[in-house]
């Protein structure tokens, strides 16, 4: 590939990545940017066109009109052979031209410099240069309604003209800017309110989807908003109902299978109980007990805990109760809680999930410890043991139903390979998961159960 093209492609990619990082992350922010940015650009272009065309043109005409009036008055006063009546001409200038004239005899403008760079003063100075062929000085710092003082040096002295502000400044500038700013603020507020109403149903739909993923019924949710959002909400509710129907059908079917299997097992147990006890009958009884245990474990795995209602539960207290129960059988178990948190969960299901993790740790290791930490959006329940652990490539395999890693676990321990499967099934039903790793503190296996807060 051409190195130049490659460098251009890399530059474009870096440029777009930078632009992507600068853009808002939420739908509300991006939609508001789509609405507000064109409005700001349109207002900017309109303002530029206004100042470049309207304001500049009107001001040029106004200053040329003032310069022409001053030029007429100066010509009348300065070019007549006889001394004119300054008071009469001054009254006429004030009445007809709105100019206040003051005459200073035997005065000149020497030493007066023009350093003001006011754009109106610059335009008026150029107009005076064209219309009045006399030395002149413009002072923009006058007070009151007569804000501009124009001094012209004639043959007999200096003629001072007080020009009212309204003859130079056009009020349409302030009116235009006020309307532009006011209308833009009003339109932005309307767009803000409208976009909030449009984004709210999407946010509620996301909250409902997250709650459904945690196994909650979301009776508070109802479809609202735009047609597309309503369609997505209806599809989500249909999917929820289908999942619940499938789970109910599975549980009902397995309950029937359980009933059908328990009946012949019960008959076999009765027949064995009526037979004389021998080594053969004891073997049969052991096989029947194993079959019952496997059947119960499989039913628990397939059934899950769907029928249990969701309750706000203190996770720390729930974990502490399980640890205390295990201590009576296995001895001391270190337990550390960063801080407790109350969450909507199925308490018996979470209790069973944690029991499976802790019992595995204590069965395959001599010691275990439990740590509960709370993050910004999740709670972590960490179980470490000092056992032999399992190979990293088998971390996912141990969650498969009825799978036992005989090469890494004790062959004499019981179980049918469903403990971790049931535990992960419960964790994922709450929107969380179980992750395995090597324990950095005890050298064995670390099982981390995390649940979204």
């Amino acid at each position: 590939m051409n190195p130049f093209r490659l460098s251009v492609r890399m530059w474009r990619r870096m440029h777009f990545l930078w632009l992507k990082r600068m853009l808002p992350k939420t739908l509300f922010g991006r939609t508001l940017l789509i609405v507000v940015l064109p409005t700001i650009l349109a207002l900017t272009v309109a303002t530029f066109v206004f100042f470049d065309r309207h304001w500049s043109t009107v001001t040029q005409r106004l200053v040329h009109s003032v310069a022409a009036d001053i030029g007429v008055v100066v010509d009348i006063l300065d070019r007549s052979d006889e001394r004119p009546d300054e008071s009469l001409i001054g009254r006429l200038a004030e009445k007809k031209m709105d100019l206040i004239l003051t005459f200073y005899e035997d005065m000149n403008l020497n030493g007066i410099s023009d350093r003001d760079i006011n754009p109106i003063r610059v335009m008026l100075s150029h107009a005076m240069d064209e219309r009045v062929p006399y030395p002149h000085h413009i002072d923009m710092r006058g007070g009151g309604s007569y804000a501009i003082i124009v001094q012209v040096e004639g043959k007999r002295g200096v003629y001072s003209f007080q020009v009212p502000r309204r003859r130079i400044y056009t009020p349409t500038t302030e009116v235009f800017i006020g309307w532009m700013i006011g209308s833009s603020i009003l339109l932005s507020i309307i767009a803000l309110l409208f976009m909030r109403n449009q984004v709210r149903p999407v946010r509620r739909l996301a909250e409902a989807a997250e709650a459904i993923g945690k196994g909650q019924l979301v009776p508070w949710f109802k479809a609202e908003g735009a047609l597309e959002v309503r369609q997505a909400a209806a599809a989500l509710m249909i999917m929820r109902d289908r999942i619940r129907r499938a789970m109910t059908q599975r549980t009902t079917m397995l309950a029937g299978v359980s009933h059908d299997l328990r009946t012949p097992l019960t008959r076999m147990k009765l027949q064995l109980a009526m037979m004389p006890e021998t080594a053969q009958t004891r073997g049969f009884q052991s096989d029947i007990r194993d079959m019952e245990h496997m059947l119960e474990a499989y039913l628990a795995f397939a059934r899950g805990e769907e029928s249990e209602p969701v309750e706000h539960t203190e996770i720390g207290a729930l974990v502490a109760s399980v640890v205390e129960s295990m201590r009576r059988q296995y001895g001391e178990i270190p337990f550390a809680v960063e801080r407790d948190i109350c969450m909507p969960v199925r308490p018996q299901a979470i209790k069973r999930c944690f029991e499976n993790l802790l019992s595995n740790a204590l069965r395959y290791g001599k010691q275990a410890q439990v740590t509960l930490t709370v993050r910004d959006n999740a709670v972590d329940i960490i179980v470490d043991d000092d056992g032999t652990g399992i190979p990293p490539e088998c971390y996912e395999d141990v969650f498969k139903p009825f799978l036992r890693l005989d090469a890494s676990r004790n062959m004499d321990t019981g179980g049918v390979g469903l403990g971790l499967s049931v535990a992960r099934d419960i964790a994922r039903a709450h929107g969380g998961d179980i992750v395995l790793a090597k324990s950095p503190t005890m050298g064995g296996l670390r099982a981390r159960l995390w649940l979204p807060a």
Side-chain angles (χ1 to χ4, degrees):
M1 181 180 291
N2 191 338
F4 176 75
R5 291 184 178 180
L6 181 60
S7 60
V8 170
R9 182 177 298 178
M10 293 179 62
W11 179 86
R12 288 180 178 178
R13 181 177 298 177
M14 294 177 61
H15 179 72
F16 283 118
L17 287 176
W18 175 83
L19 181 62
K20 187 176 181 180
R21 286 194 297 266
M22 295 295 294
L23 290 176
K25 300 298 187 295
T26 62
L27 176 63
F28 177 77
R30 293 187 177 185
T31 309
L32 193 63
L33 183 65
I34 293 173
V35 174
V36 172
L37 187 60
T39 304
I40 294 176
L41 291 176
L43 292 176
T44 304
V45 172
T47 304
F48 174 77
V49 171
F50 171 80
F51 277 103
D52 185 59
R53 301 289 182 177
H54 177 78
W55 182 83
S56 178
T57 302
V58 171
T59 305
Q60 287 282 359
R61 292 178 180 177
L62 290 176
V63 297
H64 276 275
S65 175
V66 171
D69 292 344
I70 293 175
V72 170
V73 174
V74 172
D75 285 344
I76 293 174
L77 292 173
D78 210 52
R79 292 187 179 182
S80 59
D81 296 334
E82 300 180 358
R83 183 180 180 88
D85 188 354
E86 289 90 354
S87 60
L88 176 61
I89 295 176
R91 288 194 299 271
L92 290 174
E94 183 177 1
K95 182 177 180 181
K96 302 298 184 180
M97 302 178 182
D98 208 4
L99 300 174
I100 297 179
L101 173 62
T102 304
F103 177 66
Y104 299 97
E105 192 172 1
D106 298 331
M107 181 179 174
N108 57 61
L109 299 179
N110 294 335
I112 301 178
S113 60
D114 295 334
R115 297 180 180 178
D116 191 1
I117 58 173
N118 186 297
I120 297 180
R121 183 210 162 279
V122 173
M123 287 190 287
L124 181 57
S125 179
H126 291 164
M128 292 290 294
D129 292 338
E130 295 179 8
R131 300 298 181 99
V132 183
Y134 297 98
H136 58 269
H137 169 69
I138 302 172
D139 186 3
M140 304 291 294
R141 296 169 294 179
S145 59
Y146 290 86
I148 303 174
I149 298 176
V150 180
Q151 295 176 329
V152 180
E153 182 180 347
K155 296 178 181 179
R156 299 183 179 91
V158 174
Y159 303 101
S160 177
F161 295 90
Q162 296 186 29
V163 183
R165 184 185 296 269
R166 62 180 178 273
R167 290 213 57 185
I168 298 295
Y169 293 95
T170 170
T172 56
T173 302
E174 289 79 5
V175 174
F176 175 80
I177 294 177
W179 272 106
M180 294 288 283
I181 295 176
S183 60
S184 61
I185 293 175
L186 179 61
L187 292 175
S188 299
I189 292 175
I190 294 175
L192 179 65
L193 296 176
F194 179 75
M195 290 311 306
R196 286 185 60 186
N197 292 333
Q198 295 301 311
V199 172
R200 187 183 296 112
V202 180
R203 187 180 295 112
R204 288 176 60 86
L205 178 61
E207 293 173 355
E210 183 179 2
I212 291 173
K214 296 178 181 179
Q216 301 176 16
L217 296 178
V218 295
W220 46 267
F221 178 74
K222 65 176 182 178
E224 58 183 358
L227 178 61
E228 292 80 0
V229 180
R230 291 176 180 267
Q231 290 176 346
L236 178 65
M237 294 298 104
I238 292 174
M239 181 183 67
R240 180 202 62 178
D241 295 338
R242 286 176 178 172
I243 292 175
R244 293 190 65 83
R245 282 198 301 268
M247 299 298 291
T248 303
Q249 290 174 359
R250 185 186 70 169
T251 304
T252 303
M253 179 190 67
L254 292 174
V257 172
S258 173
H259 181 270
D260 293 341
L261 290 178
R262 283 173 178 173
T263 300
L265 284 176
T266 303
R267 289 200 302 265
M268 293 172 64
K269 289 174 64 176
L270 290 175
Q271 291 176 2
L272 288 174
M274 297 174 64
M275 295 173 62
E277 184 175 355
T278 62
Q280 189 175 11
T281 58
R282 285 195 297 269
F284 287 154
Q285 290 175 354
S286 176
D287 291 340
I288 291 175
R289 285 194 299 268
D290 291 341
M291 292 176 64
E292 288 180 334
H293 182 62
M294 295 177 64
L295 180 61
E296 292 294 335
Y298 180 69
L299 289 175
F301 169 74
R303 182 176 65 247
E305 300 291 341
E306 295 93 359
S307 59
E308 184 184 0
V310 176
E311 301 177 4
H312 280 80
T313 307
E314 293 183 356
I315 303 299
L318 186 145
V319 173
S321 65
V322 177
V323 172
E324 187 63 30
S325 174
M326 290 290 185
R327 282 173 178 169
R328 291 192 291 267
Q329 180 179 357
Y330 295 97
E332 183 61 26
I333 301 174
F335 176 43
V337 181
E338 181 183 85
R339 65 181 176 90
D340 205 350
I341 183 173
C342 188
M343 296 170 50
V345 297
R346 294 184 173 92
Q348 294 301 320
I350 295 297
K351 185 176 181 180
R352 182 179 182 187
C353 174
F354 175 65
E355 283 177 347
N356 288 348
L357 297 180
L358 186 55
S359 62
N360 276 350
L362 295 171
R363 183 181 301 120
Y364 301 115
K366 296 180 180 180
Q367 293 181 344
Q369 67 179 16
V370 180
T371 307
L372 189 147
T373 60
V374 179
R375 294 179 287 163
D376 293 337
N377 56 353
V379 57
D380 287 337
I381 305 173
I382 301 173
V383 180
D384 294 297
D385 64 53
D386 61 350
T388 58
I390 58 177
E393 61 272 13
C394 299
Y395 284 160
E396 289 298 320
D397 294 337
V398 295
F399 291 104
K400 296 178 181 179
F402 303 105
L403 177 66
R404 298 184 65 215
L405 300 180
D406 296 336
S408 61
R409 292 299 190 178
N410 190 351
M411 289 289 294
D412 297 331
T413 57
V416 294
L418 284 173
L420 290 177
S421 301
V422 172
R424 172 171 272 190
D425 187 57
I426 294 173
R428 289 183 172 178
H430 286 78
D433 203 351
I434 297 176
V435 180
L436 301 181
K438 182 178 177 60
S439 175
T441 57
M442 303 188 70
L445 183 68
R446 163 171 286 189
R448 181 172 68 91
L449 165 64
W450 69 269
L451 301 171

